[in-house]
Amino acid sequence: MKYFESFPQTRYTLDTNTLSAQLVTNILARSTFLREIANNTSIAYEYSVKDTDTPEIVAHKIYGDPYRNWIILLFNQIINPFYDWPIKNDALEELIYKKYGQNIDVARSTIHHYEKEITKKTLYGGIIIDTKVTTTTISEYELNYSTEQIVPRALPTVADTSVAVESKTITYPEYTLTIDTVHKAISNYTYELELNESKRNIKILDEKYVQRVEDEFRNLMANG
């Protein structure tokens, strides 16, 4: 089923003469999946988008029909496939150049922002049994609580490097907890690359529910 073929039609004219109004597809109509469908993990699974994948290619591979690409997009709440879908490496380089006016070498060496990364490791008998990493964006300055002064943070001066800030070990009767804190300088290139990669894992609606979704979509459009 093509996405727009179920959209309602409306009469539209560019002037005040209603007699010249033409019947057109109302492309402003919108519909989303029912919340219980989109959030039901038992009817969906994860898929990692390949560099060669487009919504149409994924729809053809999964559902055997490229026109079902709209199901892929709506199910993942992707409004703009150009910005919300992962792009190829050469397209990423072009995006970086347009956004920052930099080639890849310059983008790799220019600091975009700083992050604090805290790694907590739980060890039992000297063996790591659990690792948790939390990352937050930080500014170049912080408050020194002892002096109540705003002071510069300890930050790396080279993009995509880090400096150690603190490392401590807490020993409990049954296990040991190590906490390591570092400050990282994230380059323009790494920022855009990680942002692009974060879009790569999408949800795929199980094929056996596709017909139901198409029928429901038609009803929603017909009654909308």
Side-chain angles (χ1 to χ4, degrees):
M1 184 189 92
K2 295 182 181 180
Y3 182 54
F4 287 110
E5 71 179 14
S6 294
F7 273 54
Q9 292 189 316
T10 185
R11 291 194 174 276
Y12 182 78
T13 179
L14 293 175
D15 54 45
T16 57
N17 183 6
T18 57
L19 294 178
S20 65
Q22 295 181 342
L23 194 63
V24 297
T25 299
N26 182 11
I27 62 173
L28 297 180
R30 290 291 184 269
S31 176
T32 58
F33 285 94
L34 291 177
R35 187 179 300 275
E36 58 267 26
I37 294 179
N39 293 334
N40 191 340
T41 57
S42 66
I43 65 173
Y45 56 91
E46 284 196 354
Y47 176 86
S48 181
V49 177
K50 312 294 188 298
D51 247 6
T52 54
D53 282 339
T54 64
E56 292 77 15
I57 290 176
V58 174
H60 178 70
K61 289 196 295 187
I62 304 298
Y63 303 135
D65 184 352
Y67 288 118
R68 282 175 166 168
N69 62 327
W70 65 271
I71 296 179
I72 303 290
L73 297 174
L74 280 185
F75 197 69
N76 289 277
Q77 299 181 9
I78 295 176
I79 304 300
N80 189 326
F82 181 79
Y83 291 105
D84 299 334
W85 189 266
I87 58 179
K88 298 179 181 179
N89 285 334
D90 54 349
L92 181 63
E93 293 183 15
E94 183 179 350
L95 181 148
I96 290 173
Y97 183 78
K98 289 182 177 179
K99 186 172 181 178
Y100 301 99
Q102 300 173 339
N103 60 34
I104 293 301
D105 290 337
V106 176
R108 287 180 187 273
S109 61
T110 303
I111 296 175
H112 183 277
H113 69 277
Y114 299 97
E115 294 178 351
K116 174 189 284 188
E117 183 180 272
I118 300 176
T119 303
K120 296 181 179 180
K121 295 181 181 179
T122 303
L123 295 87
Y124 180 81
I127 300 175
I128 299 174
I129 60 174
D130 185 49
T131 300
K132 294 181 180 179
V133 180
T134 57
T135 302
T136 55
T137 301
I138 58 175
S139 67
E140 298 178 46
Y141 300 92
E142 63 182 343
L143 174 64
N144 185 316
Y145 291 97
S146 299
T147 63
E148 296 186 350
Q149 298 288 321
I150 302 296
V151 297
R153 293 183 189 271
L155 297 172
T157 57
V158 178
D160 292 334
T161 62
S162 62
V163 296
V165 177
E166 184 181 35
S167 182
K168 57 183 179 181
T169 301
I170 304 174
T171 302
Y172 296 95
E174 297 182 353
Y175 63 93
T176 300
L177 178 66
T178 64
I179 305 174
D180 295 316
T181 302
V182 300
H183 288 167
K184 302 168 67 177
I186 308 300
S187 70
N188 287 344
Y189 173 78
T190 297
Y191 171 75
E192 295 298 337
L193 178 64
E194 291 180 350
L195 183 62
N196 189 56
E197 289 301 307
S198 69
K199 305 170 185 176
R200 201 165 291 283
N201 290 330
I202 63 174
K203 293 188 297 182
I204 298 293
L205 178 68
D206 193 297
E207 186 177 4
K208 63 184 177 183
Y209 296 99
V210 169
Q211 190 60 56
R212 172 190 165 188
V213 167
E214 287 185 334
D215 293 342
E216 182 177 337
F217 183 77
R218 289 191 184 96
N219 290 334
L220 286 170
M221 288 294 99
N223 298 322

